[in-house]
Amino acid sequence: MVETIASLLRRSAALASVSDTPRLDIEVLLGHVLQKSRTYLFTWPEHALSEDEYRLFEALFERRLRGEPVAHLTGSREFWSLSLSVSPATLIPRPDTELLVETALQLPLPESAKVIDLGTGTGAIALALACEQPAWQVVAVDAVDAAVILADTNRRQLGLLNVDIRQSDWFAALGDLRFDLVISNPPYIDSSDPHLQQGDVRFEPKSALVAEGRGLADLETIIQQAPVHLNNGGWLLLEHGWQQAQAVRELMQAAGFDRVETRQDLGGRDRATLGQWTDSA
Ligand SMILES: C[S@@+](CC[C@H](N)C(=O)[O-])C[C@H]1O[C@@H](n2cnc3c(N)ncnc32)[C@H](O)[C@@H]1O
């Protein structure tokens, strides 16, 4: 039987049990198989798939039915204005994290600011900042080898020369380097959080998601280590869970940061906290 774009789009109902966005998932998978935009799918609903295209679609559809994230099936995800390769080695970049990029771009930083992205994963934050601010010098680190390789692949695909990607346990491999901005979306989910057993998150590594101490341990480590790596007047900017804002503000204030404040995402939830470091006289 010949399958057309329209007939395959009608299969979205079958995905409703594993996805909140079944129609969009099918559109993305079909677009990936046909190497066409979503506009093409709406314009040519009667286009028939070749046998090979149909076989590939079927295989991806079956994997999606088993819960695998669409981004793992297509191998890429849009973040900011960038198309990034993704893999099971690290987090699939989330739209929420664009709040961190937006906030960073509004900070009063030097024209050729030195920036470090801790736990870079796909490189999402570092690459978006480097792309927006070509004069910034961005260092990006991750503890996981495969994430470092992935981020560097993305860097090369985007042709960005102002990003240096390295392996490091937070600041450990950075000696006494100092920055104008330390930015991070670290793991911050508590290991008992039931969301870890649901949806796409089940296919992402715990190393990217889970932190000790009710999810606060990595945030606390970064807050404590950041001052010796910040220039006078430099900023620390962290993503966190929407219920962690007060704890993060208290940790930053206790560590000696000034102008500590929390920013909200589009849904009005507290998702990013920043503070400024001033060297004591
Ligand atoms: C929540 S993911 C964020 C990935 C990416 N920055 C983003 O926003 O999409 C956290 C990242 O931190 C990395 N990570 C975890 N522990 C780390 C450590 N001790 N030092 C450096 N990176 C670490 C993980 O491998 C993962 O890539």
Side-chain angles (χ1 to χ4, degrees):
M1 185 182 128
V2 176
E3 295 282 3
T4 62
I5 288 174
S7 66
L8 294 175
L9 284 174
R10 282 195 288 275
R11 291 215 198 156
S12 60
L15 287 183
S17 58
V18 292
S19 172
D20 295 335
T21 55
R23 168 81 186 197
L24 177 65
D25 293 2
I26 297 246
E27 288 170 7
V28 173
L29 293 181
L30 265 176
H32 173 70
V33 166
L34 298 172
Q35 294 292 293
K36 299 285 186 200
S37 68
R38 285 171 64 209
T39 313
Y40 179 95
L41 305 180
F42 310 138
T43 314
W44 304 105
E46 297 315 321
H47 171 88
L49 274 72
S50 70
E51 241 177 68
D52 284 352
E53 287 167 343
Y54 179 62
R55 256 200 301 274
L56 176 57
F57 174 83
E58 267 295 305
L60 296 176
F61 183 77
E62 287 299 319
R63 288 170 63 189
R64 183 64 188 132
L65 270 179
R66 289 197 293 272
E68 275 190 66
V70 172
H72 285 175
L73 301 179
T74 62
S76 69
R77 172 57 47 95
E78 300 293 314
F79 178 82
W80 201 248
S81 57
L82 315 174
S83 174
L84 299 174
S85 293
V86 304
S87 88
T90 186
L91 195 83
I92 299 165
R94 309 286 203 269
D96 303 13
T97 303
E98 294 185 349
L99 173 65
L100 230 56
V101 176
E102 259 168 47
T103 306
L105 293 171
Q106 290 160 1
L107 289 173
L109 292 169
E111 210 176 305
S112 51
K114 294 193 180 350
V115 176
I116 182 160
D117 172 23
L118 297 171
T120 198
T122 55
I125 298 168
L127 300 174
L129 292 177
C131 198
E132 292 291 332
Q133 294 288 348
W136 287 6
Q137 288 302 318
V138 182
V139 175
V141 303
D142 206 285
V144 173
D145 271 342
V148 173
I149 293 166
L150 179 67
D152 204 46
T153 302
N154 281 321
R155 181 195 66 73
R156 270 186 281 110
Q157 276 166 356
L158 294 165
L160 290 168
L161 300 176
N162 55 333
V163 189
D164 173 9
I165 297 173
R166 308 180 187 183
Q167 192 197 17
S168 179
D169 175 1
W170 303 135
F171 293 100
L174 294 166
D176 55 4
L177 283 183
R178 284 178 172 254
F179 302 89
D180 302 299
L181 170 64
V182 172
I183 190 167
S184 183
N185 172 21
Y188 53 71
I189 301 178
D190 182 83
S191 58
S192 66
D193 190 320
H195 291 104
L196 292 169
Q197 317 308 329
Q198 296 165 14
D200 288 6
V201 178
R202 290 170 297 161
F203 293 82
E204 293 174 302
K206 299 284 178 287
S207 54
L209 298 165
V210 173
E212 306 273 305
R214 289 173 296 115
L216 287 166
D218 288 317
L219 287 158
E220 185 170 6
T221 300
I222 292 170
I223 291 167
Q224 281 169 358
Q225 294 181 359
V228 293
H229 293 281
L230 277 167
N231 287 326
N232 192 23
W235 295 85
L236 172 62
L237 172 55
L238 297 171
E239 179 172 318
H240 49 70
W242 59 279
Q243 291 165 314
Q244 293 171 323
Q246 190 183 344
V248 172
R249 283 196 300 273
E250 284 172 6
L251 286 167
M252 277 201 199
Q253 279 152 351
F257 284 88
D258 300 318
R259 299 174 70 180
V260 173
E261 63 170 295
T262 295
R263 299 281 170 92
Q264 286 76 35
D265 64 15
L266 290 175
R269 294 177 311 171
D270 290 343
R271 294 305 309 279
T273 294
L274 66 157
Q276 189 174 32
W277 181 257
T278 311
D279 287 337
S280 44

